[in-house]
Structures are given as C-alpha cells and as structure tokens.
Amino acid sequence: SFNPYSELILEGNGEYSGEVPENQLIFRIIPKESENLNLIDPNLITVAFSEKLTRDVDYSNLKADMESFLSNEVEWIGFNTTRPPFNNKERRKAIALSVDTEEILDYSYYGNGVLTDSLYFPGYWGVKNDGDSYPQDSEKAAEILNKLNYQDQDGDGILEDGEEKKLSLEILINEGNESRKLAAEQIAEDLGKAGFEVTVRQETQDV
C-alpha cells in the first residue's frame, strides 16, 4: 500500500515463482529531515536519506553506518559570453585557471561531491570523467592575462587593459544558499589574487 503523506508498505508477492518473503518493508515519510536524527538510535527507523551537506557531522555521533553516493545534481557557473570579460575565450580560461576548485569542494561543500569535466556525473551512461579540465594554475593564468596586455598600471592590485579599463566582473547567486555563497566568496578571493575586481551579488529569486 502507498500513502504519499505517510508511508509505503511492500509485501511479498504471493504469485512469485521463487521463495516469497514473509516480512514487510515499511518506508515512513518523515516531513522534517531533522527528526531522522532522533529516530535512528532508538531503532525506530533503519534507513534514512539525507541531502544535507553537513550530514557527516550531523550523523557522526549516531550508531549508524553512512554511505555517500553520486546524484544527478550539479553546481556550475554560467558565463555571459556576450559581455566582457567573458566574450574572450582566453580570458575565460584565465578565470578558470585562477580558481581552486578543490578548496571550494572541501570548504563550501564539505567534500560532498566530485569534480567533473562535464554536466554529467562519472559513469552516467558510460560518461568518463577526467576531473577539473582547468585545475588551478596561477602562473599560467597570469601568463595568459599578460599576453592579453593586462597590467596593474596604478598599483592597486587590479589589472587594467591598454585603455586603463579595470578587469572586473560580478558573480550573481541566489539568496538563501549558504554553500553557493561560500563558493562565490572563494571564487572572488581567488580571482582577486589574480588581479580581478570581483563583486558578489545575491538575488532573492532563483538565478
């Protein structure tokens, strides 16, 4: 039987050709994920599912084994390639090479994820994954920007082009997503070290 608001009960199929199990499997729908913590230790539930990035910490003191597995969720950055500085492939490459994605994964997402070179998780329909296509390489990023004639002409730490226009960009994120906020701040910090002028702006609607 199934009630979308309370539980799913599975029983043995009497018409199955093999051995029919006598027990039931009961999946209870718990509206608040936080209640799982109080139900595991007294053995009121045997399996719990959590998407929280802090689950390693939340469940660390419980008498339970935890197994993480890949999902089809992805975090990515979209470039507006119709506007500078993103309308130049080499500038986009310099941005990618300036960012430490390993640190973002560990710090902002508590290590719960994998770096991938596509929108698909490793193994999806046989998709291979070589990790980050542009692992952080500050020297290579600086070399690219130098070839594009970007220099810190006034000594303020921000690079300018030949027309003295600062190399600046804005990162737009949705409000209420703490991990995405931390990731954006880390990206801004990494790009700041590379000579970019970066602002992070949050919007109330999904972006």
Side-chain angles (χ1 to χ4, degrees):
S1 64
F2 174 59
N3 185 322
Y5 302 103
S6 60
E7 64 184 13
L8 166 67
I9 300 177
L10 300 180
E11 298 178 338
N13 183 353
E15 298 181 2
Y16 179 61
S17 60
E19 183 178 351
V20 179
E22 298 179 359
N23 63 316
Q24 293 181 327
L25 294 179
I26 302 175
F27 298 87
R28 300 196 187 282
I29 298 171
I30 302 172
K32 294 183 178 180
E33 184 179 326
S34 58
E35 296 178 0
N36 290 346
L37 296 172
N38 302 320
L39 298 175
I40 291 179
D41 266 354
N43 208 27
L44 295 176
I45 59 174
T46 54
V47 177
F49 173 78
S50 175
E51 291 184 311
K52 290 182 64 178
L53 295 173
T54 58
R55 59 185 177 271
D56 288 340
V57 176
D58 296 341
Y59 290 82
S60 61
N61 295 324
L62 300 178
K63 299 176 182 177
D65 296 324
M66 185 166 59
E67 182 71 26
S68 294
F69 53 90
L70 295 175
S71 74
N72 60 352
E73 296 182 5
V74 61
E75 291 285 298
W76 52 275
I77 295 178
F79 293 112
N80 183 352
T81 57
T82 64
R83 296 177 55 187
F86 307 123
N87 59 345
N88 178 282
K89 180 180 179 181
E90 291 303 300
R91 281 196 292 261
R92 295 197 299 270
K93 186 183 296 185
I95 290 172
L97 291 169
S98 299
V99 176
D100 188 346
T101 51
E102 290 278 1
E103 185 171 353
I104 291 173
L105 178 60
D106 291 338
Y107 176 68
S108 302
Y109 296 96
Y110 297 86
N112 289 304
V114 293
L115 299 177
T116 179
D117 54 5
S118 73
L119 292 176
Y120 304 108
F121 60 86
Y124 177 78
W125 279 16
V127 172
K128 295 182 179 180
N129 176 31
D130 294 323
D132 188 351
S133 300
Y134 296 97
Q136 188 182 37
D137 189 333
S138 300
E139 291 185 3
K140 190 171 182 179
E143 181 181 324
I144 292 174
L145 293 172
N146 185 58
K147 287 182 179 179
L148 293 173
N149 199 30
Y150 282 100
Q151 303 289 334
D152 182 8
Q153 301 177 38
D154 54 12
D156 65 350
I158 306 300
L159 298 175
E160 294 92 15
D161 61 17
E163 299 178 352
E164 298 185 0
K165 186 176 181 179
K166 292 186 181 296
L167 184 57
S168 62
L169 60 91
E170 181 180 65
I171 301 175
L172 183 64
I173 59 173
N174 60 308
E175 202 171 56
N177 189 318
E178 185 62 23
S179 291
R180 194 169 291 173
K181 176 176 177 290
L182 291 173
E185 291 173 347
Q186 182 62 51
I187 292 170
E189 182 179 334
D190 288 344
L191 292 177
K193 294 176 182 177
F196 288 80
E197 183 179 54
V198 186
T199 56
V200 177
R201 179 162 64 93
Q202 296 186 70
E203 293 288 346
T204 54
Q205 71 271 21
D206 289 338
V207 296

